[in-house]
Protein backbone atom coordinates (compact mmCIF):
# COMPACT_ATOMS: atom_id res chain seq x y z
CA UNK A 1 0.00 0.00 0.00
CA UNK A 2 1.05 3.63 -0.37
CA UNK A 3 1.64 6.04 2.48
CA UNK A 4 -1.81 7.64 2.17
CA UNK A 5 -3.56 4.28 2.36
CA UNK A 6 -1.48 3.46 5.43
CA UNK A 7 -2.48 6.76 7.02
CA UNK A 8 -6.17 6.06 6.47
CA UNK A 9 -5.83 2.53 7.84
CA UNK A 10 -4.09 3.79 10.99
CA UNK A 11 -6.73 6.51 11.49
CA UNK A 12 -9.46 3.89 11.25
CA UNK A 13 -7.57 1.73 13.74
CA UNK A 14 -7.22 4.64 16.18
CA UNK A 15 -10.96 5.26 16.03
CA UNK A 16 -11.70 1.56 16.57
CA UNK A 17 -9.21 1.10 19.42
CA UNK A 18 -10.42 4.23 21.25
CA UNK A 19 -14.14 3.49 20.84
CA UNK A 20 -15.87 2.94 24.18
CA UNK A 21 -19.07 1.20 25.23
CA UNK A 22 -21.86 2.70 27.34
CA UNK A 23 -19.94 1.86 30.53
CA UNK A 24 -16.82 3.73 29.41
CA UNK A 25 -14.72 0.63 28.67
CA UNK A 26 -12.82 0.25 25.41
CA UNK A 27 -14.81 -1.95 23.04
CA UNK A 28 -11.60 -3.68 22.02
CA UNK A 29 -9.70 -4.55 25.23
CA UNK A 30 -6.11 -3.35 25.40
CA UNK A 31 -4.80 -6.92 25.22
CA UNK A 32 -6.56 -7.34 21.84
CA UNK A 33 -5.38 -4.02 20.43
CA UNK A 34 -2.59 -5.25 18.21
CA UNK A 35 0.33 -2.85 17.68
CA UNK A 36 0.70 -1.63 14.11
CA UNK A 37 4.00 -2.39 12.39
CA UNK A 38 4.80 -0.25 9.35
CA UNK A 39 7.47 -1.70 7.11
CA UNK A 40 8.73 0.46 4.27
CA UNK A 41 11.73 2.26 2.78
CA UNK A 42 13.32 5.10 4.74
CA UNK A 43 12.39 8.72 4.17
CA UNK A 44 8.88 8.24 2.74
CA UNK A 45 7.10 10.14 5.52
CA UNK A 46 6.21 7.59 8.20
CA UNK A 47 6.84 10.08 11.02
CA UNK A 48 4.93 12.86 9.24
CA UNK A 49 1.78 10.78 8.87
CA UNK A 50 1.88 9.95 12.57
CA UNK A 51 1.94 13.68 13.35
CA UNK A 52 -0.98 14.23 10.96
CA UNK A 53 -3.00 11.37 12.45
CA UNK A 54 -2.48 12.58 16.02
CA UNK A 55 -3.47 16.12 15.04
CA UNK A 56 -6.54 15.05 13.05
CA UNK A 57 -7.70 12.59 15.74
CA UNK A 58 -6.87 15.15 18.45
CA UNK A 59 -4.83 12.76 20.54
CA UNK A 60 -1.31 12.86 21.95
CA UNK A 61 1.84 11.65 20.19
CA UNK A 62 5.16 10.49 21.61
CA UNK A 63 7.71 9.59 18.93
CA UNK A 64 11.04 7.85 19.39
CA UNK A 65 13.76 6.70 17.04
CA UNK A 66 14.94 3.66 18.93
CA UNK A 67 18.36 3.03 17.37
CA UNK A 68 20.31 5.22 19.81
CA UNK A 69 18.67 3.66 22.88
CA UNK A 70 20.23 1.14 25.21
CA UNK A 71 18.50 -1.56 27.19
CA UNK A 72 18.73 0.64 30.29
CA UNK A 73 16.99 3.64 28.72
CA UNK A 74 14.25 1.45 27.23
CA UNK A 75 13.65 -0.78 30.25
CA UNK A 76 15.01 1.34 33.11
CA UNK A 77 17.93 0.96 35.49
CA UNK A 78 17.96 -1.96 37.94
CA UNK A 79 17.89 -1.30 41.69
CA UNK A 80 17.65 -3.46 44.79
CA UNK A 81 14.79 -3.35 47.25
CA UNK A 82 13.99 -5.46 50.32
CA UNK A 83 10.90 -7.66 50.48
CA UNK A 84 9.74 -10.16 53.08
CA UNK A 85 8.41 -13.60 52.19
CA UNK A 86 7.22 -16.02 54.91
CA UNK A 87 8.94 -14.00 57.57
CA UNK A 88 12.30 -13.81 55.82
CA UNK A 89 13.80 -10.71 54.13
CA UNK A 90 15.06 -10.96 50.54
CA UNK A 91 16.85 -8.56 48.19
CA UNK A 92 14.74 -8.18 45.03
CA UNK A 93 15.80 -6.59 41.72
CA UNK A 94 13.40 -4.01 40.26
CA UNK A 95 13.71 -1.35 37.60
CA UNK A 96 13.28 2.38 37.46
CA UNK A 97 10.66 3.69 35.04
CA UNK A 98 11.56 3.39 31.37
CA UNK A 99 12.47 6.68 29.72
CA UNK A 100 9.96 5.92 26.96
CA UNK A 101 7.09 5.10 29.33
CA UNK A 102 7.95 8.19 31.39
CA UNK A 103 7.67 10.30 28.20
CA UNK A 104 4.14 9.02 27.66
CA UNK A 105 3.10 9.98 31.20
CA UNK A 106 4.84 13.34 30.81
CA UNK A 107 2.94 13.98 27.58
CA UNK A 108 -0.34 13.10 29.29
CA UNK A 109 0.32 15.63 32.05
CA UNK A 110 1.62 18.43 29.82
CA UNK A 111 -1.05 18.20 27.11
CA UNK A 112 -3.98 16.87 29.15
CA UNK A 113 -4.43 14.15 26.52
CA UNK A 114 -5.08 10.81 28.20
CA UNK A 115 -5.10 8.96 24.88
CA UNK A 116 -2.50 8.94 22.15
CA UNK A 117 0.01 7.13 19.97
CA UNK A 118 3.42 5.86 20.99
CA UNK A 119 5.45 5.73 17.78
CA UNK A 120 8.73 3.82 17.73
CA UNK A 121 10.76 4.24 14.51
CA UNK A 122 13.49 1.92 13.15
CA UNK A 123 12.38 -0.79 15.56
CA UNK A 124 14.12 -3.57 13.65
CA UNK A 125 17.49 -1.78 13.61
CA UNK A 126 18.24 -1.97 17.34
CA UNK A 127 21.36 -3.42 18.93
CA UNK A 128 21.60 -7.10 19.76
CA UNK A 129 21.14 -6.43 23.48
CA UNK A 130 17.98 -4.40 22.91
CA UNK A 131 16.33 -6.72 20.37
CA UNK A 132 14.61 -8.97 22.96
CA UNK A 133 13.22 -5.88 24.68
CA UNK A 134 11.68 -4.67 21.41
CA UNK A 135 10.13 -8.06 20.78
CA UNK A 136 8.66 -8.02 24.28
CA UNK A 137 7.39 -4.51 23.64
CA UNK A 138 5.49 -5.59 20.51
CA UNK A 139 4.21 -8.79 22.04
CA UNK A 140 3.24 -7.55 25.52
CA UNK A 141 3.11 -3.72 25.23
CA UNK A 142 5.55 -3.43 28.10
CA UNK A 143 9.09 -2.27 28.75
CA UNK A 144 10.40 -4.50 31.49
CA UNK A 145 7.56 -4.84 33.98
CA UNK A 146 5.90 -1.53 33.07
CA UNK A 147 2.98 -1.41 30.66
CA UNK A 148 2.02 1.32 28.21
CA UNK A 149 -0.87 3.33 29.74
CA UNK A 150 -4.35 2.31 28.65
CA UNK A 151 -5.63 4.42 25.78
CA UNK A 152 -2.21 4.66 24.10
CA UNK A 153 -1.84 2.86 20.79
CA UNK A 154 1.49 1.44 19.68
CA UNK A 155 2.72 2.07 16.16
CA UNK A 156 6.20 0.90 15.19
CA UNK A 157 8.09 1.33 11.93
CA UNK A 158 11.03 -0.44 10.36
CA UNK A 159 13.07 -0.64 7.17
CA UNK A 160 13.28 -3.70 4.90
CA UNK A 161 16.71 -5.41 4.80
CA UNK A 162 17.49 -4.14 1.30
CA UNK A 163 17.71 -0.61 2.71
CA UNK A 164 19.56 -1.31 5.95
CA UNK A 165 22.11 -4.05 6.59
CA UNK A 166 21.58 -3.96 10.37
CA UNK A 167 17.89 -4.88 10.36
CA UNK A 168 16.60 -7.89 12.26
CA UNK A 169 13.83 -10.24 11.19
CA UNK A 170 10.73 -10.66 13.31
CA UNK A 171 9.79 -14.16 14.36
CA UNK A 172 6.36 -15.73 13.86
CA UNK A 173 5.43 -15.19 17.51
CA UNK A 174 5.90 -11.43 17.11
CA UNK A 175 4.24 -11.16 13.69
CA UNK A 176 1.22 -13.04 15.05
CA UNK A 177 0.70 -10.23 17.57
CA UNK A 178 0.93 -7.17 15.29
CA UNK A 179 -0.88 -5.64 12.34
CA UNK A 180 1.67 -5.65 9.53
CA UNK A 181 1.43 -2.87 6.91
CA UNK A 182 3.90 -2.84 4.04
CA UNK A 183 4.37 0.57 2.44
CA UNK A 184 5.85 1.56 -0.90
CA UNK A 185 7.01 4.94 -2.19
CA UNK A 186 4.57 6.40 -4.72
CA UNK A 187 5.13 9.83 -6.27
CA UNK A 188 1.50 10.66 -7.08
CA UNK A 189 0.55 10.19 -3.41
CA UNK A 190 3.56 12.12 -2.08
CA UNK A 191 2.85 14.94 -4.53
CA UNK A 192 -0.48 15.64 -2.83
CA UNK A 193 1.33 15.94 0.49
CA UNK A 194 4.00 18.12 -1.14
CA UNK A 195 1.39 20.51 -2.55
CA UNK A 196 -0.43 20.80 0.77
CA UNK A 197 2.83 21.60 2.52
CA UNK A 198 3.98 23.99 -0.23
CA UNK A 199 7.20 22.27 -1.23
CA UNK A 200 9.27 24.30 -3.65
CA UNK A 201 7.53 24.42 -7.06
CA UNK A 202 10.77 23.81 -8.94
CA UNK A 203 11.05 20.41 -7.26
CA UNK A 204 7.49 19.40 -8.15
CA UNK A 205 7.92 20.66 -11.70
CA UNK A 206 11.10 18.59 -12.05
CA UNK A 207 9.50 15.45 -10.62
CA UNK A 208 6.53 15.81 -12.96
CA UNK A 209 9.07 15.39 -15.77
CA UNK A 210 11.28 12.83 -14.02
CA UNK A 211 9.01 10.85 -11.66
CA UNK A 212 11.50 7.95 -11.69
CA UNK A 213 13.88 10.18 -9.70
CA UNK A 214 11.41 10.65 -6.84
CA UNK A 215 12.67 7.60 -4.96
CA UNK A 216 15.73 5.64 -6.08
CA UNK A 217 17.96 3.21 -4.23
CA UNK A 218 20.73 1.61 -6.26
CA UNK A 219 23.99 -0.15 -5.48
CA UNK A 220 26.95 0.14 -7.87
CA UNK A 221 30.75 -0.07 -7.75
CA UNK A 222 30.86 3.26 -5.89
CA UNK A 223 28.48 2.05 -3.18
CA UNK A 224 24.87 2.82 -2.40
CA UNK A 225 23.23 5.72 -4.24
CA UNK A 226 19.80 6.91 -3.19
CA UNK A 227 17.13 9.60 -3.37
CA UNK A 228 14.29 9.71 -0.81
CA UNK A 229 11.18 11.79 -0.21
CA UNK A 230 12.84 13.17 2.92
CA UNK A 231 15.72 14.41 0.77
CA UNK A 232 13.39 16.36 -1.52
CA UNK A 233 11.53 17.93 1.39
CA UNK A 234 14.68 19.00 3.21
CA UNK A 235 16.11 20.39 -0.03
CA UNK A 236 12.89 22.36 -0.54
CA UNK A 237 13.25 24.08 2.84
CA UNK A 238 16.82 25.09 2.01
CA UNK A 239 15.87 26.35 -1.46
CA UNK A 240 13.28 28.75 -0.05
CA UNK A 241 15.71 30.24 2.46
CA UNK A 242 18.55 30.44 -0.07
CA UNK A 243 16.27 32.38 -2.42
CA UNK A 244 15.37 34.82 0.34
CA UNK A 245 19.09 35.34 1.03
CA UNK A 246 19.95 35.69 -2.67
CA UNK A 247 22.04 32.50 -2.67
CA UNK A 248 22.15 29.94 -5.47
CA UNK A 249 21.61 26.21 -5.15
CA UNK A 250 24.27 24.41 -7.19
CA UNK A 251 24.90 20.75 -7.93
CA UNK A 252 27.17 20.31 -4.91
CA UNK A 253 24.40 21.42 -2.55
CA UNK A 254 21.78 19.34 -4.33
CA UNK A 255 24.05 16.29 -3.97
CA UNK A 256 24.09 16.83 -0.20
CA UNK A 257 20.37 15.98 -0.19
CA UNK A 258 20.08 13.67 -3.21
CA UNK A 259 22.73 11.00 -2.77
CA UNK A 260 22.53 9.84 -6.35
CA UNK A 261 24.99 11.38 -8.81
CA UNK A 262 22.81 11.25 -11.94
CA UNK A 263 19.67 12.47 -10.17
CA UNK A 264 21.50 15.29 -8.38
CA UNK A 265 23.18 16.47 -11.58
CA UNK A 266 19.94 16.33 -13.54
CA UNK A 267 17.91 18.12 -10.83
CA UNK A 268 20.50 20.88 -10.40
CA UNK A 269 20.55 21.50 -14.14
CA UNK A 270 16.76 21.69 -14.21
CA UNK A 271 16.62 24.15 -11.30
CA UNK A 272 18.89 26.46 -13.30
CA UNK A 273 16.59 26.15 -16.32
CA UNK A 274 13.52 26.69 -14.14
CA UNK A 275 14.88 30.03 -12.92
CA UNK A 276 15.86 30.93 -16.48
CA UNK A 277 12.41 30.09 -17.87
CA UNK A 278 10.75 32.16 -15.12
CA UNK A 279 12.84 35.20 -16.03
CA UNK A 280 12.98 34.74 -19.81
CA UNK A 281 9.25 34.24 -20.20
CA UNK A 282 8.35 36.91 -17.65
CA UNK A 283 5.79 34.82 -15.77
CA UNK A 284 4.80 37.76 -13.53
CA UNK A 285 4.10 39.88 -16.65
CA UNK A 286 2.06 37.11 -18.25
CA UNK A 287 -0.18 37.00 -15.17
CA UNK A 288 -0.66 40.76 -15.52
CA UNK A 289 -1.51 40.52 -19.22
CA UNK A 290 1.72 42.28 -20.23
CA UNK A 291 3.67 39.41 -21.76
CA UNK A 292 6.37 40.04 -24.35
CA UNK A 293 5.16 39.20 -27.90
CA UNK A 294 8.31 37.19 -28.65
CA UNK A 295 7.51 34.57 -26.01
CA UNK A 296 4.95 32.98 -28.32
CA UNK A 297 7.53 32.26 -31.01
CA UNK A 298 9.84 30.77 -28.41
CA UNK A 299 7.20 28.56 -26.83
CA UNK A 300 6.10 27.33 -30.25
CA UNK A 301 9.63 26.09 -30.98
CA UNK A 302 10.30 24.78 -27.46
CA UNK A 303 10.74 21.13 -26.48
CA UNK A 304 8.23 19.35 -24.26
CA UNK A 305 10.27 19.85 -21.06
CA UNK A 306 10.35 23.60 -21.58
CA UNK A 307 6.68 23.86 -22.51
CA UNK A 308 5.56 21.87 -19.46
CA UNK A 309 7.90 23.90 -17.25
CA UNK A 310 6.25 27.12 -18.42
CA UNK A 311 2.81 25.67 -17.65
CA UNK A 312 4.00 24.75 -14.15
CA UNK A 313 5.48 28.23 -13.67
CA UNK A 314 2.11 29.76 -14.54
CA UNK A 315 0.39 27.41 -12.13
CA UNK A 316 2.89 28.28 -9.41
CA UNK A 317 2.28 31.98 -9.94
CA UNK A 318 -1.46 31.44 -9.69
CA UNK A 319 -0.99 29.19 -6.66
CA UNK A 320 0.61 32.07 -4.77
CA UNK A 321 -2.42 34.23 -5.46
CA UNK A 322 -4.89 31.48 -4.55
CA UNK A 323 -2.95 30.81 -1.33
CA UNK A 324 -3.18 34.51 -0.45
CA UNK A 325 -6.95 34.36 -0.97
CA UNK A 326 -7.20 31.25 1.22
CA UNK A 327 -5.26 32.94 4.04
CA UNK A 328 -7.42 36.06 3.89
CA UNK A 329 -10.55 33.92 3.73
CA UNK A 330 -9.55 31.96 6.83
CA UNK A 331 -8.87 35.16 8.77
CA UNK A 332 -12.16 36.69 7.60
CA UNK A 333 -14.21 33.60 8.48
CA UNK A 334 -12.66 33.26 11.94
CA UNK A 335 -13.19 36.96 12.61
CA UNK A 336 -16.84 36.70 11.56
CA UNK A 337 -17.41 33.79 13.96
CA UNK A 338 -15.74 35.75 16.75
CA UNK A 339 -17.98 38.77 16.16
CA UNK A 340 -21.08 36.59 15.95
CA UNK A 341 -20.27 35.07 19.33
CA UNK A 342 -19.64 38.55 20.73
CA UNK A 343 -23.01 39.74 19.40
CA UNK A 344 -24.78 36.87 21.14
CA UNK A 345 -23.02 37.44 24.45
CA UNK A 346 -23.76 41.15 24.38
CA UNK A 347 -27.44 40.35 24.77
CA UNK A 348 -26.66 38.83 28.17
CA UNK A 349 -24.47 41.58 29.65
CA UNK A 350 -24.37 45.31 30.29
CA UNK A 351 -20.59 45.76 30.06
CA UNK A 352 -19.57 45.42 26.41
CA UNK A 353 -15.85 45.95 27.02
CA UNK A 354 -15.63 43.34 29.79
CA UNK A 355 -17.59 40.89 27.65
CA UNK A 356 -15.16 41.42 24.75
CA UNK A 357 -12.12 40.99 26.99
CA UNK A 358 -13.50 37.73 28.38
CA UNK A 359 -14.18 36.38 24.90
CA UNK A 360 -10.70 37.41 23.74
CA UNK A 361 -9.10 35.70 26.75
CA UNK A 362 -10.96 32.49 25.93
CA UNK A 363 -9.77 32.67 22.33
CA UNK A 364 -6.17 33.21 23.43
CA UNK A 365 -6.34 30.25 25.80
CA UNK A 366 -7.65 28.01 22.99
CA UNK A 367 -4.83 29.05 20.66
CA UNK A 368 -2.14 28.17 23.21
CA UNK A 369 -3.90 24.94 24.23
CA UNK A 370 -4.15 23.82 20.60
CA UNK A 371 -0.50 24.69 20.02
CA UNK A 372 0.78 22.96 23.18
CA UNK A 373 -1.28 19.85 22.48
CA UNK A 374 0.10 19.68 18.93
CA UNK A 375 -3.34 20.05 17.37
CA UNK A 376 -2.43 23.07 15.22
CA UNK A 377 0.33 23.41 12.66
CA UNK A 378 2.89 26.19 12.79
CA UNK A 379 1.05 27.99 9.97
CA UNK A 380 -2.30 27.72 11.77
CA UNK A 381 -0.79 29.03 14.99
CA UNK A 382 0.81 31.96 13.15
CA UNK A 383 -2.52 32.85 11.52
CA UNK A 384 -4.31 32.73 14.86
CA UNK A 385 -1.67 34.94 16.44
CA UNK A 386 -2.33 37.50 13.71
CA UNK A 387 -6.04 37.29 14.50
CA UNK A 388 -5.46 37.77 18.22
CA UNK A 389 -3.44 40.88 17.46
CA UNK A 390 -6.22 42.26 15.25
CA UNK A 391 -8.87 41.51 17.87
CA UNK A 392 -6.84 43.27 20.55
CA UNK A 393 -6.47 46.32 18.29
CA UNK A 394 -10.26 46.47 17.88
CA UNK A 395 -11.16 46.14 21.55
CA UNK A 396 -14.08 48.45 22.49
CA UNK A 397 -13.47 51.10 25.11
CA UNK A 398 -14.95 50.65 28.56
CA UNK A 399 -18.04 52.67 29.40
CA UNK A 400 -19.53 52.48 25.89
CA UNK A 401 -23.07 51.36 25.21
CA UNK A 402 -23.48 47.83 23.91
CA UNK A 403 -24.26 48.84 20.33
CA UNK A 404 -21.35 51.26 20.26
CA UNK A 405 -19.06 48.53 21.65
CA UNK A 406 -20.08 46.19 18.86
CA UNK A 407 -19.49 48.89 16.24
CA UNK A 408 -15.99 49.50 17.59
CA UNK A 409 -15.23 45.77 17.60
CA UNK A 410 -16.44 45.49 13.99
CA UNK A 411 -14.45 48.36 12.51
CA UNK A 412 -11.41 46.28 11.60
CA UNK A 413 -13.57 43.52 10.17
CA UNK A 414 -14.72 45.81 7.38
CA UNK A 415 -11.12 46.45 6.35
CA UNK A 416 -10.44 42.72 6.47
CA UNK A 417 -13.31 42.04 4.08
CA UNK A 418 -11.96 44.68 1.71
CA UNK A 419 -8.55 43.03 1.84
CA UNK A 420 -10.11 39.67 1.00
CA UNK A 421 -12.05 41.13 -1.92
CA UNK A 422 -8.91 42.78 -3.26
CA UNK A 423 -7.04 39.46 -3.13
CA UNK A 424 -9.94 37.74 -4.89
CA UNK A 425 -10.00 40.32 -7.69
CA UNK A 426 -6.24 39.98 -8.19
CA UNK A 427 -6.46 36.19 -8.35
CA UNK A 428 -9.40 36.26 -10.78
CA UNK A 429 -7.62 38.73 -13.07
CA UNK A 430 -4.41 36.65 -13.04
CA UNK A 431 -6.41 33.51 -13.89
CA UNK A 432 -7.98 35.21 -16.91
CA UNK A 433 -4.55 36.41 -18.07
CA UNK A 434 -3.18 32.89 -17.67
CA UNK A 435 -5.97 31.50 -19.84
CA UNK A 436 -5.29 34.22 -22.45
CA UNK A 437 -1.68 33.08 -22.63
CA UNK A 438 -2.52 29.37 -22.63
CA UNK A 439 -4.98 29.78 -25.51
CA UNK A 440 -2.51 31.75 -27.61
CA UNK A 441 0.46 29.53 -26.81
CA UNK A 442 -1.07 26.06 -26.69
CA UNK A 443 -4.68 26.32 -27.93
CA UNK A 444 -6.21 22.88 -27.34
CA UNK A 445 -2.93 21.01 -26.94
CA UNK A 446 -1.94 18.62 -24.20
CA UNK A 447 -0.49 21.49 -22.17
CA UNK A 448 -4.00 22.85 -21.69
CA UNK A 449 -5.04 19.45 -20.32
CA UNK A 450 -2.25 19.66 -17.76
CA UNK A 451 -3.12 23.25 -16.86
CA UNK A 452 -6.85 22.62 -16.34
CA UNK A 453 -6.28 19.35 -14.50
CA UNK A 454 -3.81 20.92 -12.09
CA UNK A 455 -6.29 23.73 -11.35
CA UNK A 456 -8.85 21.08 -10.49
CA UNK A 457 -6.64 19.07 -8.14
CA UNK A 458 -4.73 21.81 -6.32
CA UNK A 459 -6.66 22.44 -3.12
CA UNK A 460 -6.42 26.24 -2.98
CA UNK A 461 -7.14 26.59 -6.71
CA UNK A 462 -10.16 24.27 -6.48
CA UNK A 463 -11.48 26.20 -3.47
CA UNK A 464 -11.16 29.48 -5.35
CA UNK A 465 -12.88 28.12 -8.46
CA UNK A 466 -15.72 26.76 -6.34
CA UNK A 467 -16.39 30.30 -5.08
CA UNK A 468 -15.63 32.27 -8.25
CA UNK A 469 -16.98 31.23 -11.62
CA UNK A 470 -14.44 31.15 -14.45
CA UNK A 471 -16.20 30.45 -17.73
CA UNK A 472 -13.12 29.24 -19.56
CA UNK A 473 -12.14 26.88 -16.77
CA UNK A 474 -15.62 25.32 -16.87
CA UNK A 475 -15.46 25.11 -20.66
CA UNK A 476 -12.10 23.36 -20.80
CA UNK A 477 -12.85 21.22 -17.77
CA UNK A 478 -15.89 19.84 -19.56
CA UNK A 479 -14.17 19.44 -22.93
CA UNK A 480 -10.96 17.78 -21.76
CA UNK A 481 -10.84 14.39 -20.12
CA UNK A 482 -9.40 15.61 -16.84
CA UNK A 483 -7.17 13.27 -14.87
CA UNK A 484 -7.19 10.15 -16.99
CA UNK A 485 -6.47 12.00 -20.23
CA UNK A 486 -3.68 13.98 -18.55
CA UNK A 487 -2.01 10.80 -17.32
CA UNK A 488 -2.29 9.19 -20.75
CA UNK A 489 -0.82 12.22 -22.51
CA UNK A 490 2.06 12.61 -20.09
CA UNK A 491 2.85 8.93 -20.40
CA UNK A 492 2.81 9.07 -24.20
CA UNK A 493 4.92 12.22 -24.34
CA UNK A 494 7.46 11.02 -21.77
CA UNK A 495 7.92 7.68 -23.56
CA UNK A 496 8.48 9.50 -26.81
CA UNK A 497 11.28 11.68 -25.43
Amino acid sequence: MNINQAKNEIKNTVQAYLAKDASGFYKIPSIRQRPILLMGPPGIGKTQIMEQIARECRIGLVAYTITHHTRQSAVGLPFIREEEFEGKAYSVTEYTMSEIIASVYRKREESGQKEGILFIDEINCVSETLAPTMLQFLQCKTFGNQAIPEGWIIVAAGNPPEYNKSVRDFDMVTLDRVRYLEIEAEYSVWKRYARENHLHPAILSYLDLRPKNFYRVEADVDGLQFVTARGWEDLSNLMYVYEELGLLIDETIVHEFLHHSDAAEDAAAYFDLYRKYRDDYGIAKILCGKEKPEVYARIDAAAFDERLSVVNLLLDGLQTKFANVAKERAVTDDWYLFLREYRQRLDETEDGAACYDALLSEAEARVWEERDAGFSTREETARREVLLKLWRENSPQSGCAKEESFQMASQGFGKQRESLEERERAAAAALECAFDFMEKAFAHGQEMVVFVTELAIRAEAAAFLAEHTCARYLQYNEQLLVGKRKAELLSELTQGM
Side-chain angles (χ1 to χ4, degrees):
M1 65 175 61
N2 60 49
I3 195 74
N4 194 52
Q5 291 169 328
K7 175 186 172 181
N8 290 333
E9 183 58 36
I10 296 170
K11 279 188 69 174
N12 292 341
T13 300
V14 167
Q15 293 174 8
Y17 283 2
L18 298 183
K20 295 179 179 179
D21 60 23
S23 300
F25 295 103
Y26 290 108
K27 292 185 176 181
I28 302 177
S30 178
I31 194 173
R32 297 300 175 202
Q33 294 182 5
R34 288 192 173 197
I36 296 172
L37 178 58
L38 301 175
M39 195 61 63
I44 62 172
K46 295 188 285 287
T47 303
Q48 284 91 336
I49 67 165
M50 300 316 304
E51 294 171 352
Q52 294 170 24
I53 291 167
R55 187 164 57 245
E56 292 168 16
C57 294
R58 303 184 70 79
I59 57 176
L61 173 67
V62 172
Y64 268 91
T65 298
I66 201 67
T67 49
H68 71 282
H69 277 267
T70 64
R71 187 177 184 280
Q72 285 74 24
S73 62
V75 175
L77 293 171
F79 67 93
I80 306 297
R81 62 173 296 178
E82 295 291 326
E83 286 201 36
E84 186 175 309
F85 300 107
E86 298 179 351
K88 187 175 180 179
Y90 294 90
S91 296
V92 179
T93 302
E94 292 200 5
Y95 288 88
T96 59
M97 179 173 277
S98 157
E99 174 189 330
I100 298 172
I101 299 250
S103 295
V104 173
Y105 280 104
R106 192 177 301 116
K107 182 72 173 182
R108 282 158 56 101
E109 289 188 358
E110 291 175 353
S111 67
Q113 299 301 313
K114 301 305 180 185
E115 299 175 327
I117 296 171
L118 173 57
F119 177 60
I120 305 293
D121 199 6
E122 300 187 19
I123 195 167
N124 60 340
C125 301
V126 297
S127 64
E128 185 175 350
T129 58
L130 190 54
T133 300
M134 290 300 100
L135 293 179
Q136 178 202 38
F137 167 67
L138 289 177
Q139 293 173 16
C140 307
K141 303 180 184 176
T142 61
F143 281 113
N145 58 358
Q146 300 161 40
I148 305 300
E150 190 178 40
W152 280 72
I153 297 162
I154 297 172
V155 181
N159 301 323
E162 60 265 32
Y163 298 104
N164 193 323
K165 295 179 181 179
S166 63
V167 302
R168 299 177 178 278
D169 291 329
F170 293 107
D171 57 29
M172 187 186 79
V173 175
T174 301
L175 292 175
D176 194 37
R177 287 172 165 82
V178 301
R179 296 182 60 181
Y180 187 92
L181 306 183
E182 193 166 351
I183 311 171
E184 297 178 351
E186 189 174 317
Y187 172 59
S188 61
V189 173
W190 180 82
K191 184 178 178 181
R192 289 198 292 272
Y193 163 82
R195 281 202 206 96
E196 292 170 0
N197 289 273
H198 303 106
L199 264 68
H200 199 287
I203 289 177
L204 295 181
S205 183
Y206 170 75
L207 290 176
D208 277 344
L209 292 165
R210 307 283 192 276
K212 69 176 184 179
N213 284 341
F214 163 59
Y215 201 102
R216 295 179 67 176
V217 180
E218 300 166 2
D220 59 19
V221 292
D222 297 321
L224 191 67
Q225 297 200 67
F226 59 92
V227 182
T228 69
R230 181 190 294 121
W232 289 114
E233 186 165 6
D234 291 346
L235 176 60
S236 171
N237 290 327
L238 189 75
M239 289 174 70
Y240 275 124
V241 177
Y242 263 46
E243 287 179 354
E244 291 177 5
L245 298 175
L247 304 173
L248 289 178
I249 295 281
D250 59 20
E251 183 182 338
T252 301
I253 295 173
V254 173
H255 206 295
E256 295 168 3
F257 295 85
L258 313 180
H259 300 277
H260 190 291
S261 299
D262 293 344
E265 180 182 358
D266 192 46
Y270 180 80
F271 296 155
D272 288 338
L273 284 174
Y274 189 84
R275 289 189 291 269
K276 189 173 186 299
Y277 294 154
R278 181 186 59 202
D279 297 336
D280 289 355
Y281 280 92
I283 299 300
K285 291 185 177 180
I286 291 175
L287 294 177
C288 292
K290 299 178 181 178
E291 68 272 16
K292 297 175 286 188
E294 58 267 26
V295 301
Y296 293 106
R298 174 171 176 174
I299 200 71
D300 187 57
F304 173 70
D305 278 19
E306 183 172 340
R307 293 162 72 92
L308 187 58
S309 296
V310 171
V311 172
N312 281 329
L313 281 162
L314 282 174
L315 288 163
D316 297 337
L318 289 172
Q319 177 67 17
T320 300
K321 296 185 181 298
F322 295 144
N324 289 336
V325 171
K327 290 176 183 176
E328 295 291 341
R329 168 70 65 186
V331 170
T332 305
D333 289 347
D334 284 352
W335 202 338
Y336 170 78
L337 293 174
F338 181 84
L339 288 174
R340 187 177 69 177
E341 178 67 19
Y342 181 50
R343 175 82 272 178
Q344 293 173 349
R345 293 195 184 189
L346 273 176
D347 295 336
E348 303 170 2
T349 184
E350 294 299 325
D351 191 335
C355 176
Y356 189 92
D357 290 342
L359 184 60
L360 180 55
S361 296
E362 292 174 17
E364 288 177 329
R366 282 195 301 271
V367 170
W368 309 138
E369 287 172 4
E370 294 266 315
R371 181 198 63 184
D372 294 342
F375 294 158
S376 60
T377 64
R378 185 169 62 177
E379 292 75 15
E380 289 169 339
T381 300
R383 174 174 59 80
R384 290 166 183 169
E385 287 177 346
V386 169
L387 263 171
L388 291 174
K389 183 175 181 292
L390 290 169
W391 291 342
R392 289 191 205 98
E393 292 173 353
N394 287 270
S395 297
Q397 297 176 2
S398 60
C400 296
K402 289 196 292 186
E403 193 57 39
E404 186 180 359
S405 294
F406 186 77
Q407 292 299 324
M408 294 177 69
S410 304
Q411 285 179 354
F413 180 68
K415 295 179 182 178
Q416 174 59 34
R417 288 189 61 181
E418 291 174 3
S419 177
L420 170 61
E421 291 168 0
E422 183 179 342
R423 295 282 194 185
E424 290 174 331
R425 286 193 294 270
L431 181 59
E432 294 297 336
C433 291
F435 268 113
D436 289 341
F437 176 81
M438 290 294 298
E439 288 179 339
K440 293 177 185 176
F442 304 116
H444 297 279
Q446 61 268 22
E447 293 84 0
M448 185 65 86
V449 178
V450 174
F451 182 73
V452 174
T453 304
E454 286 290 326
L455 287 175
I457 62 180
R458 295 189 181 201
E460 279 127 342
F464 180 86
L465 290 165
E467 293 282 337
H468 304 84
T469 301
C470 176
R472 281 187 287 183
Y473 167 75
L474 295 175
Q475 171 195 339
Y476 287 112
N477 193 41
E478 183 176 351
Q479 289 178 354
L480 304 172
L481 300 178
V482 175
K484 181 179 179 182
R485 181 59 178 153
K486 175 197 171 186
E488 292 172 351
L489 284 167
L490 284 177
S491 177
E492 292 170 8
L493 289 164
T494 303
Q495 290 173 7
M497 290 169 57

